[in-house]
Amino acid sequence: LKYITFLFYYKKQTHHQFLQMAALIKENLSTQYHKLILKSPIIGYGTGDVKEELDSFYQENNTYFEKYLNAHNQYFQTLLSIGIIGLIPLLLMLIIPTYLSIKNNKPHIIVIIALIALSLMFESMLERQMGVQGIIIIYLILNLDIYIIDKKRI
């Protein structure tokens, strides 16, 4: 029983140390993404080429990942992929419904948009099909509430 307890404790410590190391690596990399963005700020690197750019960026920073690792921030990922030209529509997709929700006194929509905006800060949700589908469905329902439901009340 002592041996099993020791193994559990050892694995727990090792896992905890691994998480700390991964957090430090992620923090270090996230502070360095601006260097990549500044090399091609207007049009980015392209949706296909951003993977190679990030891989070479990770190698330059002595960080090795077995598989492709995105920026884990949709705003950075969009800047890297399609530049400011792509970031503006992404931000407008969040700003316009927020403005209309404030104007129409719909605080529940503001909360949902804030949650989406916050989620995009910590994950590149639009890089995976599941994330795209989830955000589009929520976005369509929110816009349905903003535009169509109010018109039916009139």
Side-chain angles (χ1 to χ4, degrees):
L1 186 63
K2 283 185 176 183
Y3 183 72
I4 294 172
T5 307
F6 173 76
L7 281 176
F8 178 73
Y9 178 76
Y10 177 75
K11 284 189 175 196
K12 185 176 179 183
Q13 289 298 327
T14 306
H15 182 68
H16 178 69
Q17 290 170 348
F18 170 77
L19 290 177
Q20 284 182 329
M21 184 181 71
L24 286 173
I25 290 170
K26 188 175 176 184
E27 180 182 339
N28 181 39
L29 291 174
S30 65
T31 60
Q32 301 293 319
Y33 284 134
H34 70 279
K35 292 177 183 176
L36 270 178
I37 293 168
L38 290 176
K39 288 181 185 176
S40 184
I42 305 297
I43 60 170
Y45 295 99
T47 55
D49 294 335
V50 74
K51 291 181 181 184
E52 289 97 27
E53 287 295 326
L54 281 172
D55 284 341
S56 65
F57 172 74
Y58 296 143
Q59 287 175 356
E60 289 171 10
N61 287 288
N62 298 322
T63 307
Y64 173 75
F65 299 106
E66 288 183 21
K67 59 181 183 173
Y68 167 68
L69 184 68
N70 59 31
H72 283 296
N73 180 319
Q74 187 61 54
Y75 306 110
F76 283 153
Q77 188 76 31
T78 302
L79 275 170
L80 288 170
S81 297
I82 46 183
I84 294 172
I85 293 171
L87 184 65
I88 291 171
L90 177 63
L91 293 175
L92 287 175
M93 189 178 97
L94 300 169
I95 293 170
I96 292 172
T98 303
Y99 169 75
L100 293 173
S101 300
I102 292 170
K103 184 178 172 185
N104 295 327
N105 193 23
K106 296 186 179 240
H108 62 284
I109 294 177
I110 297 168
V111 170
I112 293 170
I113 292 172
L115 287 173
I116 290 172
L118 189 65
S119 297
L120 293 176
M121 290 179 69
F122 298 104
E123 186 58 48
S124 299
M125 295 177 73
L126 300 176
E127 293 295 306
R128 306 269 186 241
Q129 185 176 359
M130 187 184 308
V132 172
Q133 290 172 345
I135 287 179
I136 292 299
I137 289 170
I138 292 169
Y139 190 74
L140 290 173
I141 292 170
L142 292 178
N143 282 310
L144 179 73
D145 187 15
I146 292 171
Y147 294 108
I148 296 175
I149 294 175
D150 280 342
K151 291 181 181 178
K152 287 186 176 183
R153 291 183 191 161
I154 298 174

